[in-house]
Amino acid sequence: MGFAAALAADTVRSGPRCLIGVALGTLTGEDLDALEGALADTSVTSSSISRALTASGTKVGGQAVRRHRAGDCSCGPR
């Protein structure tokens, strides 16, 4: 497999969504709005989002939040 084919294959995401994607699919109302806003707001750190999600019952690490924000998770590019 050449580089171009390997790179194209790497951009295809399969499998379940990441924990952030799952949270986005299950939260509702003000909690969903708060998470979407926090993910979009670069002044809110990934660690802060991670701590808030964990405190509310969804255990997730800061690195998972960073990967989701960058589009480098199983959810795929934003």
Side-chain angles (χ1 to χ4, degrees):
M1 175 185 294
F3 175 76
L7 185 60
D10 185 60
T11 60
V12 176
R13 303 287 197 259
S14 63
R17 294 179 295 172
C18 75
L19 290 174
I20 304 302
V22 170
L24 287 167
T26 57
L27 292 175
T28 59
E30 69 180 18
D31 289 335
L32 177 59
D33 292 342
L35 178 55
E36 289 175 333
L39 289 169
D41 185 348
T42 58
S43 71
V44 178
T45 67
S46 295
S47 295
S48 292
I49 295 170
S50 167
R51 285 191 298 272
L53 282 169
T54 298
S56 66
T58 302
K59 186 173 179 170
V60 61
Q63 185 61 30
V65 177
R66 283 186 282 282
R67 282 193 306 270
H68 184 83
R69 281 176 146 176
D72 196 25
C73 65
S74 57
C75 295
R78 304 290 141 260

